[in-house]
Amino acid sequence: MKKCIRCNTEMIENLIVNTNDAMGLSVGEKGLFKKSLGKVSAAVCPKCGYLETYINNPEKLDKYD
């Protein structure tokens, strides 16, 4: 359960982030043939409208710690 950082209301999670193509957004390393670090999802606050994006599998980022 995510809480809004602005008004502390419970956010609606696991929303799809759409773009003009059907692939959605993803995060990856720079360069040719680098692996994707994960798909991007979103959470939105129903009270103030704050939008937050996040990666579904943050454990893939462990090597950057």
Side-chain angles (χ1 to χ4, degrees):
M1 169 179 61
K2 290 185 180 290
K3 293 276 188 166
C4 179
I5 62 171
R6 294 188 178 177
C7 67
N8 205 36
T9 300
E10 186 175 332
M11 297 179 84
I12 302 166
E13 297 182 61
N14 298 316
L15 300 174
I16 297 170
V17 179
N18 290 320
T19 61
N20 288 337
D21 61 22
M23 300 301 287
L25 294 178
S26 65
V27 175
E29 296 176 325
K30 287 185 179 180
L32 219 48
F33 306 113
K34 297 290 183 172
K35 288 186 175 184
S36 172
L37 297 175
K39 289 189 176 184
V40 176
S41 292
V44 67
C45 176
K47 183 175 180 182
C48 72
Y50 174 74
L51 176 70
E52 176 178 286
T53 56
Y54 58 93
I55 294 176
N56 292 328
N57 301 347
E59 63 274 3
K60 289 187 175 182
L61 302 174
D62 286 345
K63 72 177 189 177
Y64 295 99
D65 242 350

Coordinates of all heavy atoms in Angstrom, one line a residue:
M1 N 0.8 -1.2 0.0 CA 0.0 0.0 0.0 C 0.9 1.2 0.0 O 1.7 1.5 0.9 CB -0.9 0.0 1.2 CG -1.6 1.3 1.5 SD -2.8 1.3 2.9 CE -1.7 0.9 4.2
K2 N 0.8 2.0 -1.0 CA 1.5 3.3 -1.1 C 0.7 4.4 -0.6 O -0.5 4.4 -0.8 CB 1.9 3.6 -2.6 CG 2.9 2.7 -3.2 CD 3.3 3.1 -4.6 CE 4.3 2.2 -5.2 NZ 5.7 2.3 -4.6
K3 N 1.3 5.3 0.1 CA 0.6 6.5 0.6 C 1.1 7.7 -0.2 O 2.3 7.8 -0.5 CB 0.9 6.7 2.1 CG 0.3 5.7 3.0 CD -1.1 6.1 3.3 CE -1.7 5.1 4.4 NZ -2.9 5.6 5.0
C4 N 0.3 8.6 -0.5 CA 0.6 9.9 -1.2 C 1.6 10.7 -0.3 O 1.4 10.9 0.9 CB -0.6 10.7 -1.5 SG -0.3 12.2 -2.3
I5 N 2.7 11.1 -0.9 CA 3.7 11.9 -0.2 C 3.2 13.4 0.0 O 3.8 14.1 0.8 CB 5.1 12.0 -0.9 CG1 4.9 12.6 -2.3 CG2 5.6 10.6 -1.0 CD1 6.3 12.9 -2.9
R6 N 2.1 13.7 -0.6 CA 1.6 15.1 -0.5 C 0.5 15.2 0.6 O 0.5 16.1 1.4 CB 1.1 15.6 -1.8 CG 2.3 15.8 -2.8 CD 1.8 16.5 -4.0 NE 3.0 16.7 -4.8 CZ 3.0 17.3 -6.0 NH1 1.8 17.7 -6.5 NH2 4.1 17.4 -6.7
C7 N -0.4 14.2 0.5 CA -1.6 14.4 1.4 C -1.9 13.1 2.3 O -2.8 13.0 3.0 CB -2.8 14.7 0.6 SG -3.4 13.4 -0.5
N8 N -1.0 12.1 2.2 CA -1.0 10.9 3.0 C -2.3 10.0 2.7 O -2.7 9.3 3.6 CB -0.9 11.2 4.5 CG -0.3 10.1 5.3 OD1 0.5 9.3 4.8 ND2 -0.8 9.9 6.5
T9 N -2.9 10.1 1.6 CA -4.0 9.3 1.2 C -3.5 8.0 0.5 O -2.5 8.0 -0.2 CB -4.9 10.1 0.2 OG1 -5.4 11.3 0.9 CG2 -6.1 9.3 -0.2
E10 N -4.2 6.9 0.7 CA -3.9 5.7 0.1 C -4.0 5.8 -1.4 O -5.0 6.3 -1.9 CB -4.8 4.6 0.6 CG -4.4 3.2 0.1 CD -5.2 2.1 0.7 OE1 -5.7 2.2 1.8 OE2 -5.3 1.1 0.0
M11 N -3.0 5.4 -2.2 CA -3.0 5.6 -3.6 C -3.5 4.4 -4.3 O -3.5 3.3 -3.8 CB -1.5 5.8 -4.1 CG -0.9 7.1 -3.5 SD 0.7 7.4 -4.1 CE 0.4 8.2 -5.6
I12 N -4.0 4.6 -5.5 CA -4.5 3.5 -6.4 C -3.2 3.0 -7.2 O -2.6 3.8 -7.9 CB -5.5 4.0 -7.4 CG1 -6.7 4.6 -6.6 CG2 -6.0 2.9 -8.3 CD1 -7.7 5.3 -7.5
E13 N -2.8 1.7 -7.0 CA -1.6 1.2 -7.5 C -1.8 0.3 -8.7 O -2.9 0.0 -9.1 CB -0.9 0.4 -6.4 CG -0.5 1.2 -5.2 CD 0.3 0.4 -4.2 OE1 1.3 -0.1 -4.5 OE2 -0.3 0.2 -3.1
N14 N -0.6 -0.1 -9.3 CA -0.5 -1.0 -10.4 C -1.3 -0.6 -11.6 O -1.9 -1.3 -12.3 CB -1.0 -2.4 -10.0 CG -0.1 -3.0 -8.9 OD1 1.1 -2.9 -8.9 ND2 -0.8 -3.6 -7.9
L15 N -1.2 0.7 -11.9 CA -1.8 1.3 -13.1 C -0.9 1.2 -14.3 O 0.3 1.2 -14.1 CB -2.2 2.7 -12.9 CG -3.2 3.0 -11.7 CD1 -3.4 4.4 -11.5 CD2 -4.5 2.3 -12.0
I16 N -1.4 1.1 -15.5 CA -0.6 1.0 -16.7 C -0.2 2.4 -17.1 O -1.0 3.3 -17.2 CB -1.4 0.3 -17.8 CG1 -1.7 -1.2 -17.4 CG2 -0.6 0.3 -19.1 CD1 -2.7 -1.8 -18.3
V17 N 1.1 2.6 -17.5 CA 1.5 3.8 -18.1 C 1.5 3.6 -19.6 O 2.2 2.8 -20.2 CB 2.9 4.2 -17.6 CG1 3.4 5.4 -18.3 CG2 3.0 4.2 -16.1
N18 N 0.7 4.4 -20.3 CA 0.6 4.3 -21.8 C 1.4 5.3 -22.5 O 1.6 6.4 -22.0 CB -0.9 4.4 -22.2 CG -1.8 3.3 -21.8 OD1 -1.3 2.1 -21.9 ND2 -3.0 3.5 -21.3
T19 N 1.8 4.9 -23.7 CA 2.5 5.8 -24.6 C 1.8 5.7 -26.0 O 0.8 5.0 -26.1 CB 4.0 5.4 -24.8 OG1 4.1 4.1 -25.3 CG2 4.7 5.5 -23.5
N20 N 2.3 6.3 -27.0 CA 1.7 6.2 -28.3 C 1.8 4.8 -28.9 O 1.0 4.5 -29.8 CB 2.3 7.3 -29.2 CG 1.8 8.6 -28.9 OD1 0.8 8.8 -28.2 ND2 2.6 9.7 -29.2
D21 N 2.9 4.1 -28.5 CA 2.9 2.7 -29.0 C 2.4 1.7 -27.9 O 2.1 2.1 -26.8 CB 4.4 2.3 -29.4 CG 5.4 2.4 -28.2 OD1 4.9 2.4 -27.1 OD2 6.6 2.5 -28.5
A22 N 2.2 0.5 -28.3 CA 1.6 -0.5 -27.3 C 2.6 -1.0 -26.3 O 2.2 -1.8 -25.5 CB 1.0 -1.6 -28.1
M23 N 3.8 -0.6 -26.3 CA 4.8 -1.3 -25.4 C 4.8 -0.7 -24.0 O 5.3 -1.3 -23.1 CB 6.2 -1.1 -26.0 CG 6.4 -1.7 -27.4 SD 6.0 -3.5 -27.4 CE 7.5 -4.1 -26.6
G24 N 4.2 0.4 -23.8 CA 4.3 1.0 -22.4 C 5.7 1.6 -22.2 O 6.5 1.7 -23.1
L25 N 6.0 1.9 -21.0 CA 7.3 2.4 -20.6 C 8.2 1.3 -20.0 O 7.6 0.5 -19.2 CB 7.2 3.6 -19.7 CG 6.6 4.9 -20.2 CD1 6.5 5.9 -19.1 CD2 7.3 5.4 -21.4
S26 N 9.5 1.4 -20.2 CA 10.4 0.5 -19.4 C 11.6 1.3 -19.1 O 11.9 2.3 -19.7 CB 10.7 -0.8 -20.2 OG 11.4 -0.4 -21.4
V27 N 12.4 0.8 -18.2 CA 13.7 1.4 -17.8 C 14.8 0.5 -18.1 O 14.7 -0.7 -17.8 CB 13.6 1.8 -16.3 CG1 15.0 2.3 -15.8 CG2 12.5 2.7 -16.0
G28 N 15.9 1.0 -18.7 CA 17.0 0.1 -19.0 C 18.3 0.9 -19.0 O 18.3 2.1 -18.9
E29 N 19.4 0.2 -19.1 CA 20.7 0.8 -19.1 C 20.9 1.4 -20.5 O 20.4 1.0 -21.5 CB 21.8 -0.3 -18.9 CG 21.7 -0.9 -17.5 CD 22.7 -2.0 -17.3 OE1 23.0 -2.8 -18.3 OE2 23.2 -2.2 -16.2
K30 N 21.8 2.4 -20.5 CA 22.1 3.1 -21.8 C 23.0 2.1 -22.6 O 23.8 1.3 -22.0 CB 22.9 4.4 -21.6 CG 22.1 5.5 -21.1 CD 23.0 6.7 -21.0 CE 22.2 7.9 -20.5 NZ 23.0 9.1 -20.4
G31 N 22.9 2.3 -23.9 CA 23.8 1.5 -24.8 C 23.0 0.4 -25.6 O 21.9 0.2 -25.3
L32 N 23.7 -0.1 -26.5 CA 23.1 -1.1 -27.4 C 23.1 -2.5 -26.7 O 24.0 -2.9 -26.1 CB 24.1 -1.2 -28.7 CG 23.4 -1.4 -30.0 CD1 22.3 -0.4 -30.2 CD2 24.4 -1.2 -31.1
F33 N 22.0 -3.1 -26.9 CA 21.8 -4.5 -26.4 C 21.8 -4.6 -24.9 O 22.2 -5.7 -24.4 CB 22.7 -5.5 -27.1 CG 22.7 -5.4 -28.6 CD1 23.8 -5.0 -29.3 CD2 21.6 -5.8 -29.2 CE1 23.8 -4.9 -30.6 CE2 21.6 -5.8 -30.6 CZ 22.7 -5.3 -31.3
K34 N 21.5 -3.6 -24.2 CA 21.4 -3.7 -22.7 C 20.1 -4.2 -22.3 O 19.1 -4.0 -22.9 CB 21.7 -2.3 -22.1 CG 23.0 -1.7 -22.4 CD 24.1 -2.5 -21.7 CE 25.4 -1.8 -21.9 NZ 26.5 -2.3 -21.2
K35 N 20.1 -4.9 -21.1 CA 18.8 -5.5 -20.6 C 17.9 -4.4 -20.0 O 18.4 -3.4 -19.5 CB 19.1 -6.5 -19.6 CG 19.8 -7.8 -20.1 CD 19.9 -8.8 -19.0 CE 20.4 -10.1 -19.6 NZ 20.4 -11.1 -18.6
S36 N 16.6 -4.7 -20.1 CA 15.6 -3.9 -19.4 C 15.7 -4.1 -17.9 O 15.9 -5.2 -17.5 CB 14.2 -4.2 -19.9 OG 13.3 -3.6 -19.2
L37 N 15.6 -3.0 -17.2 CA 15.6 -3.1 -15.7 C 14.1 -3.3 -15.2 O 14.0 -3.6 -14.0 CB 16.2 -1.9 -15.1 CG 17.7 -1.7 -15.5 CD1 18.2 -0.4 -14.9 CD2 18.5 -2.9 -15.0
G38 N 13.1 -3.2 -16.0 CA 11.8 -3.4 -15.6 C 10.8 -2.5 -16.2 O 11.1 -1.5 -16.7
K39 N 9.5 -3.0 -16.2 CA 8.4 -2.2 -16.7 C 8.0 -1.1 -15.7 O 8.2 -1.3 -14.5 CB 7.2 -3.1 -17.0 CG 7.4 -3.9 -18.2 CD 6.1 -4.6 -18.6 CE 6.4 -5.4 -19.8 NZ 5.1 -6.0 -20.3
V40 N 7.5 0.0 -16.1 CA 7.1 1.1 -15.3 C 5.6 1.0 -15.1 O 4.9 0.8 -16.0 CB 7.5 2.4 -15.9 CG1 7.0 3.6 -15.1 CG2 9.0 2.5 -16.1
S41 N 5.2 1.1 -13.8 CA 3.8 1.2 -13.4 C 3.6 2.5 -12.7 O 4.5 3.2 -12.5 CB 3.4 0.0 -12.5 OG 3.5 -1.2 -13.2
A42 N 2.4 2.8 -12.4 CA 2.0 4.1 -11.8 C 1.1 3.9 -10.6 O 0.3 2.9 -10.6 CB 1.5 5.0 -12.8
A43 N 1.1 4.8 -9.8 CA 0.1 5.0 -8.7 C -0.4 6.4 -8.7 O 0.4 7.3 -9.0 CB 0.7 4.6 -7.3
V44 N -1.7 6.6 -8.4 CA -2.2 7.9 -8.5 C -3.0 8.1 -7.2 O -3.7 7.2 -6.7 CB -3.1 8.2 -9.7 CG1 -4.4 7.3 -9.7 CG2 -3.5 9.6 -9.9
C45 N -3.0 9.3 -6.7 CA -3.7 9.7 -5.5 C -5.1 10.1 -5.9 O -5.3 11.1 -6.7 CB -3.0 10.8 -4.7 SG -4.0 11.4 -3.3
P46 N -6.2 9.5 -5.4 CA -7.5 9.9 -5.7 C -8.0 11.2 -5.1 O -9.0 11.8 -5.6 CB -8.4 8.7 -5.2 CG -7.6 8.2 -4.1 CD -6.2 8.4 -4.4
K47 N -7.2 11.7 -4.1 CA -7.6 13.0 -3.5 C -7.0 14.2 -4.2 O -7.6 15.1 -4.5 CB -7.2 12.9 -2.0 CG -7.6 14.2 -1.2 CD -7.3 14.0 0.2 CE -7.8 15.2 1.0 NZ -7.4 15.1 2.4
C48 N -5.6 14.2 -4.4 CA -4.9 15.4 -4.9 C -4.4 15.2 -6.3 O -4.0 16.1 -7.0 CB -3.8 15.8 -4.0 SG -2.4 14.7 -4.0
G49 N -4.5 13.9 -6.8 CA -4.1 13.7 -8.2 C -2.6 13.5 -8.4 O -2.1 13.3 -9.5
Y50 N -1.8 13.5 -7.3 CA -0.4 13.2 -7.5 C -0.1 11.9 -8.2 O -0.8 10.9 -7.8 CB 0.3 13.2 -6.1 CG 1.8 12.8 -6.1 CD1 2.7 13.7 -6.6 CD2 2.2 11.6 -5.6 CE1 4.1 13.4 -6.6 CE2 3.5 11.2 -5.7 CZ 4.4 12.1 -6.1 OH 5.8 11.8 -6.2
L51 N 0.8 11.9 -9.1 CA 1.1 10.7 -9.9 C 2.5 10.2 -9.6 O 3.5 11.1 -9.7 CB 0.9 10.9 -11.4 CG 1.3 9.8 -12.3 CD1 0.3 8.6 -12.2 CD2 1.4 10.3 -13.7
E52 N 2.7 9.0 -9.3 CA 4.1 8.4 -9.0 C 4.3 7.2 -9.9 O 3.4 6.4 -10.1 CB 4.1 8.0 -7.5 CG 5.3 7.3 -7.1 CD 5.3 7.0 -5.6 OE1 5.4 7.9 -4.8 OE2 5.1 5.8 -5.3
T53 N 5.5 7.2 -10.5 CA 5.9 6.0 -11.3 C 6.9 5.2 -10.5 O 7.6 5.7 -9.7 CB 6.4 6.4 -12.7 OG1 7.5 7.3 -12.5 CG2 5.4 7.1 -13.5
Y54 N 6.9 3.9 -10.8 CA 7.8 3.0 -10.1 C 8.1 1.7 -10.9 O 7.3 1.4 -11.8 CB 7.3 2.6 -8.7 CG 5.9 1.9 -8.7 CD1 5.8 0.5 -8.8 CD2 4.8 2.7 -8.7 CE1 4.6 -0.1 -8.8 CE2 3.5 2.1 -8.7 CZ 3.4 0.7 -8.8 OH 2.2 0.1 -8.8
I55 N 9.2 1.0 -10.7 CA 9.5 -0.2 -11.3 C 8.9 -1.3 -10.5 O 9.0 -1.4 -9.3 CB 11.0 -0.4 -11.5 CG1 11.5 0.7 -12.4 CG2 11.4 -1.7 -12.0 CD1 13.0 0.7 -12.5
N56 N 8.3 -2.3 -11.2 CA 7.6 -3.4 -10.5 C 8.6 -4.3 -9.8 O 8.3 -4.9 -8.8 CB 6.8 -4.2 -11.5 CG 5.6 -3.5 -12.0 OD1 5.0 -2.6 -11.3 ND2 5.2 -3.7 -13.2
N57 N 9.8 -4.5 -10.3 CA 10.8 -5.5 -9.7 C 12.0 -4.7 -9.3 O 13.1 -4.8 -10.0 CB 11.1 -6.6 -10.7 CG 9.9 -7.3 -11.2 OD1 8.9 -7.2 -10.6 ND2 10.1 -8.1 -12.2
P58 N 12.0 -4.0 -8.2 CA 13.2 -3.2 -7.8 C 14.4 -4.1 -7.5 O 15.5 -3.6 -7.4 CB 12.7 -2.4 -6.6 CG 11.5 -3.1 -6.1 CD 10.9 -3.8 -7.3
E59 N 14.2 -5.4 -7.2 CA 15.4 -6.2 -6.9 C 16.4 -6.3 -8.1 O 17.5 -6.6 -7.9 CB 14.9 -7.6 -6.5 CG 14.2 -8.4 -7.6 CD 12.7 -8.2 -7.6 OE1 12.2 -7.3 -6.8 OE2 12.0 -8.8 -8.4
K60 N 15.9 -6.0 -9.3 CA 16.8 -5.9 -10.5 C 17.8 -4.8 -10.3 O 18.8 -4.7 -11.0 CB 16.0 -5.8 -11.8 CG 15.3 -7.0 -12.2 CD 14.7 -6.8 -13.5 CE 14.0 -8.0 -14.0 NZ 13.4 -7.9 -15.4
L61 N 17.6 -3.9 -9.4 CA 18.5 -2.7 -9.2 C 19.5 -3.0 -8.2 O 20.3 -2.1 -7.9 CB 17.6 -1.5 -8.9 CG 16.6 -1.1 -9.9 CD1 15.7 0.1 -9.3 CD2 17.2 -0.7 -11.2
D62 N 19.5 -4.1 -7.6 CA 20.5 -4.5 -6.5 C 21.9 -4.2 -6.9 O 22.7 -3.8 -6.1 CB 20.3 -5.9 -6.0 CG 19.1 -6.1 -5.1 OD1 18.5 -5.0 -4.7 OD2 18.7 -7.2 -4.9
K63 N 22.3 -4.5 -8.1 CA 23.7 -4.3 -8.5 C 24.1 -2.9 -8.6 O 25.3 -2.6 -8.6 CB 23.9 -5.0 -9.9 CG 23.3 -4.2 -11.1 CD 23.7 -4.9 -12.4 CE 23.3 -4.1 -13.6 NZ 23.7 -4.7 -14.8
Y64 N 23.2 -1.9 -8.5 CA 23.5 -0.5 -8.5 C 23.7 0.1 -7.0 O 23.9 1.2 -6.9 CB 22.4 0.3 -9.2 CG 22.4 0.0 -10.7 CD1 21.4 -0.9 -11.2 CD2 23.3 0.5 -11.5 CE1 21.4 -1.2 -12.5 CE2 23.3 0.2 -12.9 CZ 22.3 -0.7 -13.4 OH 22.3 -1.0 -14.7
D65 N 23.4 -0.8 -6.1 CA 23.5 -0.3 -4.7 C 24.9 0.0 -4.2 O 25.8 -0.6 -4.5 CB 22.9 -1.4 -3.7 CG 21.7 -0.9 -3.0 OD1 21.4 0.3 -3.0 OD2 21.0 -1.7 -2.3

